[in-house]
Amino acid sequence: MSISPPPWLPRVVDDLRAVSADLLEPGLAKSMPLGMNGGHGPLLRGLLALSDAYVALAPRVLAEVDFTADGAAGDLRAVRVPRSATPSRAPYDYAQHNGVPVPMRWLRFEPAERPNEPALRWALHVALCLQQELLKHAARLESQLQEALLVRAGEDEYAVHDAETLRGLAGGVQQRLVGLRLCETGIRSAAGRRISPGDRPPSPYPQQPAWSRLKRVARELFNPEAMLGTVLNQVLAEPIPMADVPFLYQRWCGLQLLHAFERQGWARRGELVGPLFLGGRVEMVRPDAASVVVWIEPRVSQATMALTGWGVPRGKRELTPDFLITCGAAGVRDAFVLDATLSRKDDILDEKSKYRLGIVGLDTQFVAGVPVQRRPLRSWAVAPLQGSSCRLSDPEGRTGSIPLRPGDLDLRPLDAWVADVSLHARRQTITTELEAA
């Protein structure tokens, strides 16, 4: 029995794609299988596919390259016919005829056969450009991966799986770079002498099938808009499976959460796409020196406690809330948790309260002179619920749920929740400044 996707899914896809097409890709979403190119954003995925096509074509391209005569290199060959030849200078190549030496052998210059050098120079240019593009994307991916590895560090099987997946993303790029360098070596060897890359296609262009396919690879490489359009058409042509809707909604909620802070007067510092794509941190700041950090898909564990200021008690299972919002200086840090779900069932919504008691702070606080562990001030759910106001699950509002429906977008409940976080963070800043004065 097939289940149709929710009617608001196109709105989620459009909003995410408007920020970056990468946000439609699986990243670390466990519901989506990761193939050789899986998990990457569309542009890098397209580049990896082009690299694969080039590496596969290279042997045939070299096998089908034209050979031409090189007038500057060759050998002198002894012949008995003087056509296009010169008399030999060796005495033994002459015979006496009526007392006159007559040449019996002649020397003909036969130019060496060389592969079509302009074609090889252009093929080398394509290989080097592919390498440069991959290195550029690899540098960006490396910074995203390092942040994600730090934020998602842990010791349970899920942490190990995430680390392997993240390293696999980087390994896929490095694998293509190795293949392209081998192609570069093969082209230089086929030329028979040192050649430089040429950025112009050879004229006339080789008509062999492999060279025709190479021209199509180059066209997509040098026209990224066409490549991205092709990849996006493939992505959007297929219906999005229901298993993929939760992670798309989660990312969309993260985007709306950051926008809500901006509507409260906060400014984002740093990159947005990387943390939403693979997990990481987004720092929000205000002119009054207040700041909050939105940790996206962090693994709350002993391994990340020094980084985020929050972890789990020793021996307890590691937790992975969708969003952990921290504020305050070291020693007095507070936290708020928000977890996205598509469920409208009360028991599922109430389950999100587990983070409030399951997460503990690195900082200690005192109650009546007794040291106690800090806990998140709130642990709420965000879901596509009906209604225009937040729902409290306990009298003090430490747990509850935020209605956030992509279809008829009503941002007032989310703005009200973020306004409380904003006010708390600003008060913390003022208190810290007064105590330091």
Side-chain angles (χ1 to χ4, degrees):
M1 176 180 177
S2 60
I3 303 176
S4 59
W8 45 256
L9 184 57
R11 170 66 180 267
V12 169
V13 171
D14 289 343
D15 287 351
L16 292 175
R17 189 173 63 233
V19 176
S20 172
D22 286 0
L23 299 182
L24 299 179
E25 293 299 313
L28 286 175
K30 296 179 177 60
S31 62
M32 300 191 70
L34 296 178
M36 287 298 291
N37 295 344
H40 292 292
L43 193 55
L44 179 53
R45 186 152 56 94
L47 192 60
L48 294 176
L50 285 182
S51 300
D52 290 339
Y54 185 95
V55 171
L57 274 176
R60 291 180 54 195
V61 163
L62 294 180
E64 296 177 4
V65 68
D66 293 323
F67 280 79
T68 57
D70 185 352
D75 296 312
L76 289 172
R77 181 183 174 188
V79 296
R80 294 184 178 277
V81 180
R83 182 182 303 169
S84 302
T86 58
S88 170
R89 295 182 179 181
Y92 51 77
D93 285 337
Y94 286 79
Q96 294 291 329
H97 182 70
N98 295 329
V100 178
V102 178
M104 302 300 292
R105 288 185 180 87
W106 304 74
L107 297 179
R108 179 185 300 161
F109 178 77
E110 294 190 350
E113 287 283 313
R114 288 194 176 276
N116 186 341
E117 189 168 292
L120 292 180
R121 293 175 66 239
W122 185 73
L124 179 61
H125 171 68
V126 176
L128 293 177
C129 287
L130 277 168
Q131 290 183 48
Q132 291 172 0
E133 288 298 312
L134 276 178
L135 287 170
K136 181 175 67 177
H137 283 278
R140 181 174 66 91
L141 180 63
E142 181 66 20
S143 64
Q144 294 178 354
L145 292 177
Q146 291 302 320
E147 175 80 354
L149 283 169
L150 288 174
V151 173
R152 300 182 72 90
E155 298 179 355
D156 65 14
E157 65 274 20
Y158 301 107
V160 173
H161 174 270
D162 286 351
E164 290 176 349
T165 303
L166 288 167
R167 294 190 179 96
L169 294 177
V173 177
Q174 294 302 319
Q175 176 185 341
R176 274 42 172 240
L177 284 170
V178 170
L180 288 170
R181 291 187 184 113
L182 290 175
C183 291
E184 176 190 349
T185 301
I187 293 171
R188 294 187 186 278
S189 176
R193 62 182 180 181
R194 186 173 182 178
I195 62 172
S196 301
D199 58 1
R200 292 185 179 181
S203 181
Y205 191 86
Q207 298 303 307
Q208 291 85 347
W211 284 88
S212 297
R213 291 184 61 189
L214 181 59
K215 182 186 288 187
R216 292 195 292 270
V217 169
R219 186 184 302 122
E220 291 199 12
L221 171 63
F222 299 129
N223 185 11
E225 291 80 8
M227 179 180 68
L228 181 59
T230 300
V231 175
L232 277 180
N233 287 337
Q234 294 172 353
V235 171
L236 300 178
E238 300 178 0
I240 298 177
M242 280 299 296
D244 304 339
V245 176
F247 96 84
L248 289 174
Y249 178 72
Q250 172 195 319
R251 277 188 187 161
W252 182 82
C253 286
L255 182 63
Q256 299 307 319
L257 175 64
L258 297 173
H259 287 338
F261 273 103
E262 291 172 346
R263 288 192 293 272
Q264 293 291 329
W266 298 78
R268 175 171 50 84
R269 179 184 293 172
E271 190 191 7
L272 171 65
V273 175
L276 280 174
F277 182 37
L278 295 176
R281 78 189 96 183
V282 177
E283 185 177 1
M284 310 296 294
V285 296
R286 288 180 57 90
D288 56 10
S291 67
V292 299
V293 178
V294 180
W295 299 91
I296 300 175
E297 293 190 79
R299 173 161 283 102
V300 181
S301 65
Q302 290 288 323
T304 61
M305 199 168 190
L307 178 67
T308 65
W310 298 85
V312 293
R314 291 191 179 278
K316 297 296 184 179
R317 184 164 184 170
E318 298 170 354
L319 298 173
T320 53
D322 292 335
F323 312 106
L324 173 68
I325 306 164
T326 62
C327 58
V332 290
R333 285 170 287 193
D334 284 324
F336 300 79
V337 177
L338 196 60
D339 209 57
T341 178
L342 291 177
S343 177
R344 297 179 177 85
K345 297 181 179 179
D346 291 339
D347 56 339
I348 301 297
L349 296 172
D350 292 342
E351 185 183 337
K352 304 303 180 181
S353 64
K354 66 182 179 183
Y355 300 112
R356 198 183 74 80
L357 297 179
I359 296 176
V360 296
L362 181 63
D363 303 336
T364 302
Q365 66 180 351
F366 291 87
V367 176
V370 179
V372 297
Q373 288 184 313
R374 286 181 177 266
R375 306 279 179 173
L377 297 179
R378 293 183 185 177
S379 179
W380 281 48
V382 56
L385 305 169
Q386 296 295 327
S388 57
S389 61
C390 293
R391 305 178 184 180
L392 305 184
S393 296
D394 67 84
E396 296 179 342
R398 296 183 183 274
T399 59
S401 53
I402 304 172
L404 188 60
R405 301 181 307 280
D408 51 341
L409 190 58
D410 185 351
L411 297 172
R412 289 175 297 175
L414 178 62
D415 285 344
W417 193 87
V418 171
D420 288 352
V421 180
S422 176
L423 180 61
H424 181 83
R426 296 176 66 187
R427 284 175 174 170
Q428 267 193 324
T429 302
I430 295 173
T431 302
T432 302
E433 292 176 347
L434 291 175
E435 290 177 349

